[in-house]
Amino acid sequence: MEANSCNNHSNVGFRVPARVSRENRTESSVVNVAGVEVGGTGVVVIAGPCAVESLEQLSDTARAVKKEGARILRGGAFKPRSSPYSFQGLGEEGLKLLSSIRAETGMPVVTEVMDTRQVEMVGEYADMLQVGSRNMQNYPLLKEVGMTRKPILLKRGMMATIEEFLLAAEYILNQGNENIILCERGIRTFETSTRNTLDLSAVPMLKRLTHLPVIVDPSHGTGISWMVPSMAKAAVAAGADGLIMEVHYKPDQALCDGYQSLDPENFAGLMNELKKIALAIGRKIL
Ligand code: PEP
Ligand code: MN
């Protein structure tokens, strides 16, 4: 073993793919999401419901999170549900609601695209396309979103290693789309007390290996709303460039992921604490 191997990229045991590697681009990439810069000194908060359910739900939730400082609105229109009997999302109707709330609030929107056939349509409504955990290794989808020039929020596969995660991002970059934000959202382990095991060590690891911005999703990472503030604060302290969190105006009535969604009041309290954490490490909440 080399004497300085603890300072060497190669100690991860794999070759970091060329285009995502920080060795080939030392400066951190900044991804511009309709005017909101992710990857600079500011920490960006993305918030909103798991799924778009109705005009009232989206509008009330969006206004609440905007008031507290969220800069980008999230909300799924096409939902990858484990059960085919669960609410699958409003589809294009949900995209239309997102786009009308964007017009009302001025917030850019991010929403999931699950299928190559949806990329064009979702791209017409959304400012950023989310490739979800279940699709991180859907190579045709990665290539398709790579052919757009939209910002892509690439979530870590629930069973993906860091190497596989970076290779997935490389697929997108290979098509010419450099606007990629990586999202740690928890991985499957033997632990059952939380929905996933939030791998916060992925944050410093990814920041070291790649120039791409890295954000954290403590909602899916834990699956439990009372745990979200602790892990959100830890993520910012660990150097995340942003957070994506589920917030619902009435979590107990949510059609999807209510148990891990913050209500507006808890979100407001968290945003106040996040400002102090960011300040302590020389950053600020954008
Ligand atoms: C989501 O963000 O709503 C989602 C389904 O996330 P993930 O793909 O990380 O499970
Ligand atoms: Mn969800």
Side-chain angles (χ1 to χ4, degrees):
M1 195 185 269
E2 296 164 50
N4 68 343
S5 63
C6 67
N7 288 319
N8 194 319
H9 284 173
S10 64
N11 74 340
V12 291
F14 59 86
R15 183 172 287 277
V16 179
R19 293 187 205 275
V20 301
S21 175
R22 204 181 262 284
E23 278 187 348
N24 297 330
R25 196 192 291 182
T26 50
E27 207 174 303
S28 295
S29 292
V30 175
V31 174
N32 189 318
V33 185
V36 179
E37 293 193 337
V38 184
T41 52
V43 175
V44 174
V45 174
I46 306 173
C50 177
V52 178
E53 299 168 10
S54 68
L55 180 61
E56 181 192 292
Q57 172 247 17
L58 190 63
S59 161
D60 281 20
T61 307
R63 273 185 278 149
V65 297
K66 184 185 173 181
K67 183 165 156 271
E68 301 307 330
R71 298 296 306 274
I72 299 175
L73 177 66
R74 64 149 288 146
F78 295 97
K79 293 303 304 175
R81 304 305 302 277
S82 299
S83 167
Y85 305 115
S86 298
F87 175 59
Q88 303 284 308
L90 296 179
E92 189 168 6
E93 188 49 39
L95 297 176
K96 287 183 179 157
L97 289 175
L98 280 168
S99 132
S100 78
I101 299 303
R102 175 190 34 206
E104 188 185 307
T105 61
M107 294 173 92
V109 300
V110 56
T111 196
E112 179 160 355
V113 57
M114 296 204 295
D115 190 304
T116 52
R117 293 164 296 184
Q118 295 165 348
V119 171
E120 198 180 330
M121 185 201 11
V122 177
E124 277 166 24
Y125 295 98
D127 299 291
M128 175 153 67
L129 306 177
Q130 175 172 323
V131 173
S133 188
R134 291 155 191 80
N135 274 315
M136 191 210 80
Q137 287 178 310
N138 180 340
Y139 302 115
L141 184 61
L142 297 175
K143 288 181 186 170
E144 196 71 23
V145 299
M147 284 189 273
T148 75
R149 292 298 174 263
K150 287 267 175 189
I152 308 299
L153 179 59
L154 178 65
K155 299 190 86 174
R156 181 179 182 180
M158 61 185 81
M159 284 169 284
T161 62
I162 295 284
E163 181 181 18
E164 289 162 339
F165 193 15
L166 291 172
L167 285 164
E170 187 84 357
Y171 263 94
I172 299 172
L173 261 163
N174 261 345
Q175 300 300 318
N177 189 350
E178 302 187 337
N179 305 307
I180 305 165
I181 299 169
L182 301 175
C183 179
E184 165 59 44
R185 49 77 72 206
I187 50 176
R188 280 211 164 157
T189 67
F190 51 81
E191 183 53 62
T192 54
S193 65
T194 46
R195 180 175 180 180
N196 289 288
T197 296
L198 186 59
D199 180 12
L200 285 183
S201 70
V203 176
M205 180 59 82
L206 288 167
K207 292 294 294 178
R208 185 180 181 87
L209 298 182
T210 172
H211 53 84
L212 298 172
V214 178
I215 72 167
V216 170
D217 175 349
S219 307
H220 294 88
T222 61
I224 310 167
S225 62
W226 64 260
M227 287 193 84
V228 169
S230 306
M231 300 315 279
K233 286 181 279 182
V236 172
D241 298 303
L243 295 164
I244 180 166
M245 292 182 285
E246 291 185 338
V247 180
H248 195 287
Y249 78 144
K250 294 172 184 166
D252 54 341
Q253 289 173 30
L255 296 181
C256 185
D257 286 353
Y259 40 86
Q260 66 189 35
S261 300
L262 294 174
D263 62 21
E265 196 184 328
N266 287 327
F267 179 71
L270 171 58
M271 288 299 281
N272 267 328
E273 295 188 317
L274 287 174
K275 284 177 196 150
K276 295 178 211 154
I277 304 272
L279 215 58
I281 56 162
R283 299 183 79 168
K284 63 178 188 333
I285 303 294
L286 254 199

